[in-house]
mmCIF file of all heavy atoms in Angstrom:
data_model
loop_
_atom_site.group_PDB
_atom_site.id
_atom_site.type_symbol
_atom_site.label_atom_id
_atom_site.label_comp_id
_atom_site.label_asym_id
_atom_site.label_seq_id
_atom_site.Cartn_x
_atom_site.Cartn_y
_atom_site.Cartn_z
ATOM 1 N N ASP A 176 108.559 80.358 107.423
ATOM 2 C CA ASP A 176 109.447 79.391 108.100
ATOM 3 C C ASP A 176 109.573 78.180 107.167
ATOM 4 O O ASP A 176 108.664 77.407 106.965
ATOM 5 C CB ASP A 176 108.815 78.950 109.398
ATOM 6 C CG ASP A 176 109.705 77.980 110.164
ATOM 7 O OD1 ASP A 176 110.909 77.937 109.921
ATOM 8 O OD2 ASP A 176 109.159 77.269 111.009
ATOM 9 N N PHE A 177 110.737 78.106 106.489
ATOM 10 C CA PHE A 177 110.945 77.067 105.523
ATOM 11 C C PHE A 177 112.132 76.216 105.928
ATOM 12 O O PHE A 177 113.165 76.749 106.301
ATOM 13 C CB PHE A 177 111.186 77.648 104.155
ATOM 14 C CG PHE A 177 110.061 78.523 103.733
ATOM 15 C CD1 PHE A 177 110.128 79.904 103.836
ATOM 16 C CD2 PHE A 177 108.902 78.046 103.175
ATOM 17 C CE1 PHE A 177 109.106 80.754 103.438
ATOM 18 C CE2 PHE A 177 107.841 78.831 102.798
ATOM 19 C CZ PHE A 177 107.963 80.211 102.911
ATOM 20 N N LEU A 178 112.040 74.911 105.757
ATOM 21 C CA LEU A 178 113.148 73.995 105.982
ATOM 22 C C LEU A 178 114.028 73.940 104.796
ATOM 23 O O LEU A 178 113.552 73.974 103.628
ATOM 24 C CB LEU A 178 112.621 72.574 106.291
ATOM 25 C CG LEU A 178 111.917 72.358 107.628
ATOM 26 C CD1 LEU A 178 111.361 70.941 107.666
ATOM 27 C CD2 LEU A 178 112.891 72.551 108.765
ATOM 28 N N LYS A 179 115.319 73.839 104.985
ATOM 29 C CA LYS A 179 116.222 73.581 103.886
ATOM 30 C C LYS A 179 116.175 72.065 103.570
ATOM 31 O O LYS A 179 115.911 71.261 104.486
ATOM 32 C CB LYS A 179 117.633 74.019 104.272
ATOM 33 C CG LYS A 179 117.792 75.470 104.417
ATOM 34 C CD LYS A 179 119.215 75.861 104.752
ATOM 35 C CE LYS A 179 119.300 77.357 104.953
ATOM 36 N NZ LYS A 179 120.635 77.737 105.436
ATOM 37 N N PHE A 180 116.372 71.761 102.369
ATOM 38 C CA PHE A 180 116.268 70.358 101.905
ATOM 39 C C PHE A 180 117.108 69.388 102.761
ATOM 40 O O PHE A 180 116.667 68.293 103.140
ATOM 41 C CB PHE A 180 116.648 70.225 100.437
ATOM 42 C CG PHE A 180 116.610 68.862 99.908
ATOM 43 C CD1 PHE A 180 115.399 68.237 99.688
ATOM 44 C CD2 PHE A 180 117.769 68.127 99.667
ATOM 45 C CE1 PHE A 180 115.294 66.929 99.209
ATOM 46 C CE2 PHE A 180 117.715 66.844 99.204
ATOM 47 C CZ PHE A 180 116.461 66.249 98.957
ATOM 48 N N ASN A 181 118.313 69.758 103.083
ATOM 49 C CA ASN A 181 119.218 68.897 103.823
ATOM 50 C C ASN A 181 119.074 68.958 105.363
ATOM 51 O O ASN A 181 119.864 68.370 106.053
ATOM 52 C CB ASN A 181 120.673 69.146 103.403
ATOM 53 C CG ASN A 181 121.100 70.565 103.703
ATOM 54 O OD1 ASN A 181 120.288 71.393 104.113
ATOM 55 N ND2 ASN A 181 122.382 70.805 103.500
ATOM 56 N N GLU A 182 118.054 69.658 105.853
ATOM 57 C CA GLU A 182 117.876 69.763 107.311
ATOM 58 C C GLU A 182 116.768 68.872 107.851
ATOM 59 O O GLU A 182 116.368 68.937 108.958
ATOM 60 C CB GLU A 182 117.572 71.242 107.677
ATOM 61 C CG GLU A 182 118.737 72.129 107.570
ATOM 62 C CD GLU A 182 118.423 73.551 107.997
ATOM 63 O OE1 GLU A 182 117.250 73.862 108.282
ATOM 64 O OE2 GLU A 182 119.348 74.397 108.007
ATOM 65 N N ILE A 183 116.221 68.006 106.995
ATOM 66 C CA ILE A 183 115.055 67.155 107.409
ATOM 67 C C ILE A 183 115.623 66.001 108.241
ATOM 68 O O ILE A 183 116.536 65.395 108.050
ATOM 69 C CB ILE A 183 114.253 66.663 106.206
ATOM 70 C CG1 ILE A 183 113.683 67.902 105.503
ATOM 71 C CG2 ILE A 183 113.210 65.703 106.605
ATOM 72 C CD1 ILE A 183 112.938 67.581 104.234
#
Side-chain angles (χ1 to χ4, degrees):
D176 181 22
F177 304 98
L178 290 174
K179 292 182 183 173
F180 179 72
N181 60 353
E182 289 182 355
I183 298 176

